[in-house]
Amino acid sequence: MLRQEPNCRICAQAGRTTKASHADHIVPKCLGGSDDRSNYQPLCLAHSRSKTGREGAMIGHARRRARAKLKAGDA
């Protein structure tokens, strides 16, 4: 995939040309994303780390809300 699309897709949207180093799942597998080619995008290291951090925070928040909801149901 990186050979077919060698530049970071997010950088390209901002008018910059940055070599992509990661094949990123657009929708993470843990959120139901697939390994299909259409669910991949090329990202540079900076955008890959940023996106992964945002997704991790979002998943962590959802887990905390689910645990709180379960505890509230037990009370």
Side-chain angles (χ1 to χ4, degrees):
M1 193 226 29
L2 294 176
R3 275 186 236 143
Q4 294 171 342
E5 198 173 344
N7 295 319
C8 175
R9 195 175 285 176
I10 295 173
C11 287
Q13 291 170 351
R16 295 185 308 271
T17 303
T18 308
K19 183 170 173 53
S21 57
H22 291 76
D24 173 71
H25 284 94
I26 296 168
V27 177
K29 289 184 71 173
C30 66
L31 296 177
S34 72
D35 280 329
D36 188 68
R37 169 65 176 94
S38 64
N39 190 40
Y40 279 96
Q41 65 181 342
L43 295 181
C44 64
L45 178 61
H47 282 121
S48 177
R49 285 183 175 170
S50 175
K51 182 176 179 283
T52 299
R54 284 192 312 273
E55 291 166 348
M58 178 182 68
I59 292 166
H61 180 68
R63 285 182 180 156
R64 285 188 296 279
R65 280 194 336 215
R67 282 193 297 264
K69 190 174 182 180
L70 285 173
K71 280 186 178 182
D74 290 341

